[in-house]
Amino acid sequence: MKAKLGMSPIAWWNDDLVELSDDVSLEECLRQSRSAGFTGMEKGRRFPDDPAVMLPILRAADVTLCGGWFSGTLVDEDIAINKARIAPMIELFKAVGAPCIVYGEVGRSIQGDRARPLATKPKLSEDEMKAYARTVTDFGEWCAEQGMPLAYHHHMAAVVETEPELDAFMNASGAGIPLLLDAGHLAFAGGDVLRAIDNHHGRISHVHVKDVRMAVIDALDRTRQSFLDAVALGAFTVPGDGSLDFRAIVQKFADHGYEGWFVVEAEQDPRKNPPLRMAQVGHKELMAVMTAAGYTVETQGYPQ
């Protein structure tokens, strides 16, 4: 089985917490992640939106674009509005050969609002979840028809956060909307990562190998502290530096025949946790557990 290892630039620059950002150029971010062994990088705010500009940067760094976040609002806004907003991103991702766009629901979400405690996260009724899942499926099918599949990202502080919410969404949605399984977000939400892989492996097309520090999460006052507070306190980290058993997680993916990207997405304070050093820790851990699970990790970066 083949696998590819990527990173998210959120370890270098945080889109929601400026104080958790390093003054590092895109080129230096790519150089550091590539030197640690990663061959892909998801899109961040310092990436150009013009493929003619982006491709030479990726080529020089020997890195491929392995995904990127789209802030969807389908829980509240019309599908046509979302189609218009994602259309330029689809064309960009097709031009640079990205495998998918990560759909993250921000409608009603409190993930970017530091004044909103975790306990106030939005919740959908059973009927609302069914209607939402059908809409997201239609949107995913349309994006795939345009030549760029989506991968749905369950997320803390959003309408699909907990394992029961993920199960409900998956049961009501269709194959037109593949799943991004994020180990860290599911563990933060109190879910069972291995069970979720068992339940939904047939739809998983993209993986975020985010680790967590459970001591930080367990100490949170969810009636008072927000998702961004948790991030600032160090709730997330790279594999090999946190509480999750990635040997078991990666083995579970292998058991179900998953092949594709495993992306380290670990937002934390770059002064306390230098991104290059953390990238090296994460890559070393992943190589060990992936080799043990029988994966061959691809080493080619930018397509030759």
Side-chain angles (χ1 to χ4, degrees):
M1 292 179 298
K2 294 182 179 180
K4 300 178 182 181
L5 297 183
M7 282 201 76
S8 166
I10 202 167
W12 285 265
W13 342 292
N14 193 297
D15 290 350
D16 296 309
L17 295 170
V18 176
E19 66 269 28
L20 298 190
S21 295
D22 229 349
D23 187 20
V24 172
S25 67
L26 170 60
E27 289 81 0
E28 178 62 15
C29 167
L30 295 175
R31 187 197 69 77
Q32 290 186 17
S33 67
R34 188 68 180 95
S35 72
F38 293 93
T39 58
M41 179 70 75
E42 290 196 342
K43 188 176 184 293
R45 57 184 166 86
R46 293 186 180 176
F47 276 75
D49 290 323
D50 182 347
V53 179
M54 187 191 294
L55 282 170
I57 295 172
L58 295 174
R59 184 183 299 113
D62 190 32
V63 169
T64 60
L65 191 73
C66 62
W69 175 279
F70 171 73
S71 293
T73 56
L74 290 171
V75 73
D76 281 327
E77 292 191 311
D78 189 78
I79 194 168
I81 294 173
N82 283 269
K83 285 180 179 179
R85 284 199 302 110
I86 202 171
M89 192 173 182
I90 288 175
E91 294 310 309
L92 171 64
F93 275 42
K94 285 164 59 177
V96 300
C100 67
I101 291 174
V102 175
Y103 181 96
E105 182 62 57
V106 299
R108 306 189 197 180
S109 174
I110 60 168
Q111 66 201 63
D113 188 346
R114 203 160 184 175
R116 298 286 301 279
L118 284 159
T120 65
K121 90 159 208 78
K123 296 181 181 180
L124 301 183
S125 68
E126 183 178 349
D127 287 343
E128 286 177 322
M129 181 64 81
K130 289 179 179 178
Y132 170 67
R134 287 193 295 268
T135 300
V136 178
T137 302
D138 290 344
F139 186 63
E141 290 172 346
W142 178 83
C143 289
E145 289 169 359
Q146 310 313 303
M148 182 52 55
L150 299 183
Y152 187 89
H153 193 333
H154 57 97
H155 201 285
M156 284 298 301
V159 293
V160 179
E161 172 193 276
T162 66
E163 188 180 355
E165 287 171 337
L166 176 60
D167 291 343
F169 174 80
M170 295 299 286
N171 289 338
S173 61
I177 180 67
L179 175 66
L180 183 159
L181 197 289
D182 188 307
H185 276 277
L186 196 60
F188 192 151
D192 185 317
V193 177
L194 301 182
R195 182 171 59 209
I197 297 170
D198 278 338
N199 287 340
H200 305 301
H201 62 89
R203 296 258 298 278
I204 296 172
S205 66
H206 205 59
V207 175
H208 278 178
V209 278
K210 182 196 294 282
D211 208 341
V212 295
R213 296 185 178 99
M214 288 307 300
V216 174
I217 292 171
D218 291 343
L220 291 170
D221 180 349
R222 299 193 184 210
T223 66
R224 190 173 55 84
Q225 291 173 293
S226 68
F227 172 70
L228 292 182
D229 287 336
V231 171
L233 287 167
F236 296 128
T237 187
V238 300
D241 187 56
S243 305
L244 299 184
D245 181 356
F246 275 96
R247 180 174 291 270
I249 291 170
V250 168
Q251 183 62 59
K252 183 66 73 173
F253 280 114
D255 290 345
H256 288 296
Y258 172 82
E259 292 188 292
W261 285 100
F262 290 83
V263 179
V264 174
E265 188 196 39
E267 59 267 49
Q268 49 189 329
D269 190 335
R271 292 174 295 274
K272 296 178 181 177
N273 301 278
L276 174 57
R277 179 170 63 82
M278 300 312 292
Q280 292 166 340
V281 170
H283 188 270
K284 180 180 179 181
E285 174 70 7
L286 286 174
M287 286 300 295
V289 300
M290 299 190 88
T291 300
Y295 279 106
T296 298
V297 177
E298 297 188 11
T299 58
Q300 180 177 311
Y302 190 87
Q304 300 302 314

